[in-house]
Amino acid sequence: MRTILTFLLVLVLHFFSAQENEAYADGIFSFEENKAQKIFTDWTRIRKEPGLNSGILDSLRSNQQVMILKKEDAILRLGERGANWYKISYQKGETLSEGYVWGGNLCVGYRNKNGYDFLFGLSKTIDKKTEELNENIKQNIAGVKVMEGNILVDEVYFDTGKGEELSYATFNIESNHKLQNVELTLKAMVSGEACGIASYDQYLLMKGGKLIALPQLMNVGDADVYYHSEQYIFPNDKGGIPNAFIFKMEEMEKDDNDREKKKHSTKTYIWDGSFYKLKVK
């Protein structure tokens, strides 16, 4: 596992070194024209023209719906988030307005259920020290918000991908997986589209309007050279057990003689109806 993670970190650092003077947009911030979108970052500024130096026309709250009118060529990178500017229209009261928004402030996924709006987006980049390389790297932070109109009910934040790991994202509502007192489960995923590029799955349980983040899952593979897979087995899955979810990891790496070396591990987390804890064997 450590060998694979070190390889991935070196690959990512090399990628950024080669691209540090280039402005490029991450795929997850590519939004279709003439489609509705939502604001993720609270008090997002709307500008007269596509650029930070342009005048501010307005600011929009999280969960405000906008219409994407045009994807501009201009790209802005803030930290490890890169996105195009978009011309948008939006309704506030009786007034229909237009302006330009940076794509990094928009949701990369949103859903609605049981009277709540769920928003998934990237919020910022931080400096984070890595044990593998013993140095700081730029780490993107993602978040999920629970909204009732423009009222924030709850929000949680977690590490997510960067660079080529941000090719696309999915955000889905799942069942409660037969976990006691859980209303529903959210699954936020970001991923790349090439071999050796990791994907990250973040599960969140909703209980009483509050979100509980489970330990994040990572999956990566490179043809038949190696793979590392992680998944949860919930009570309603085959092999699941009541009031618990099981973490399963499988890893394969070929040595210099093309021989496969496999590793397997499991952990069981007990769910008491309010929170989870690791079962001690």
Side-chain angles (χ1 to χ4, degrees):
M1 175 62 179
R2 182 175 293 273
T3 301
I4 292 176
L5 289 178
T6 301
F7 170 79
L8 288 173
L9 284 168
V10 171
L11 181 66
V12 169
L13 289 173
H14 174 76
F15 173 80
F16 286 128
S17 175
Q19 305 262 348
E20 62 184 357
N21 295 319
E22 297 181 28
Y24 63 94
D26 297 309
I28 61 170
F29 297 122
S30 181
F31 304 110
E32 293 185 44
E33 296 178 358
N34 301 313
K35 291 287 185 69
Q37 251 303 331
K38 285 198 171 187
I39 298 292
F40 180 77
T41 304
D42 208 17
W43 301 112
T44 286
R45 292 173 175 176
I46 307 303
R47 298 184 181 271
K48 294 180 181 179
E49 299 294 336
L52 286 179
N53 295 325
S54 179
I56 299 171
L57 295 173
D58 202 351
S59 62
L60 299 181
R61 303 294 306 273
S62 295
N63 207 29
Q64 168 75 49
Q65 183 166 295
V66 301
M67 179 65 68
I68 303 293
L69 300 179
K70 183 182 179 183
K71 181 179 182 178
E72 300 294 327
D73 292 332
I75 295 172
L76 171 66
R77 291 200 67 82
L78 293 179
E80 295 303 327
R81 297 173 296 153
N84 294 80
W85 288 84
Y86 290 87
K87 185 177 183 180
I88 62 167
S89 65
Y90 58 95
Q91 188 90 28
K92 289 178 77 172
E94 300 295 322
T95 304
L96 181 65
S97 302
E98 293 186 358
Y100 294 87
V101 66
W102 180 55
N105 286 332
L106 298 174
C107 293
V108 297
Y110 60 91
R111 292 288 184 267
N112 176 275
K113 192 174 180 67
N114 299 340
Y116 294 108
D117 290 311
F118 302 95
L119 313 179
F120 172 38
L122 273 66
S123 63
K124 60 184 177 180
T125 304
I126 64 171
D127 289 321
K128 184 174 182 180
K129 191 169 185 177
T130 67
E131 294 182 4
E132 289 83 5
L133 299 179
N134 194 31
E135 61 182 69
N136 286 334
I137 63 169
K138 299 294 184 180
Q139 174 64 60
N140 280 329
I141 303 298
V144 171
K145 299 181 181 183
V146 184
M147 308 286 300
E148 285 186 302
N150 64 355
I151 298 174
L152 178 65
V153 177
D154 195 22
E155 59 185 341
V156 295
Y157 293 90
F158 44 89
D159 292 353
T160 194
K162 47 193 171 289
E164 291 182 300
E165 296 167 346
L166 297 180
S167 294
Y168 66 95
T170 61
F171 186 50
N172 295 304
I173 297 176
E174 300 183 354
S175 72
N176 68 355
H177 292 294
K178 293 188 177 179
L179 291 168
Q180 182 184 4
N181 297 334
V182 173
E183 300 163 45
L184 54 85
T185 305
L186 300 169
K187 182 182 179 182
M189 184 274 289
V190 298
S191 181
E193 296 180 321
C195 290
I197 304 300
S199 65
Y200 300 91
D201 296 334
Q202 181 64 61
Y203 282 91
L204 303 112
L205 309 180
M206 184 170 176
K207 174 187 175 295
K210 298 296 183 180
L211 296 175
I212 299 170
L214 304 187
Q216 193 174 69
L217 304 177
M218 187 271 283
N219 292 274
V220 65
D222 188 359
D224 63 346
V225 177
Y226 74 86
Y227 67 81
H228 175 93
S229 68
E230 299 177 352
Q231 67 175 128
Y232 285 130
I233 306 299
F234 292 105
N236 61 331
D237 294 325
K238 183 178 180 180
I241 58 177
N243 302 317
F245 55 94
I246 303 168
F247 168 86
K248 291 185 68 175
M249 185 279 289
E250 181 175 303
E251 188 173 284
M252 185 280 292
E253 187 172 9
K254 287 188 176 180
D255 62 19
D256 294 337
N257 296 316
D258 207 32
R259 293 175 300 194
E260 291 186 358
K261 293 184 177 181
K262 289 188 176 182
K263 296 179 182 178
H264 303 265
S265 68
T266 62
K267 297 178 184 177
T268 299
Y269 293 90
I270 303 300
W271 174 257
D272 65 4
S274 296
F275 204 70
Y276 65 87
K277 64 180 180 179
L278 182 64
K279 181 180 178 180
V280 179
K281 295 183 179 179

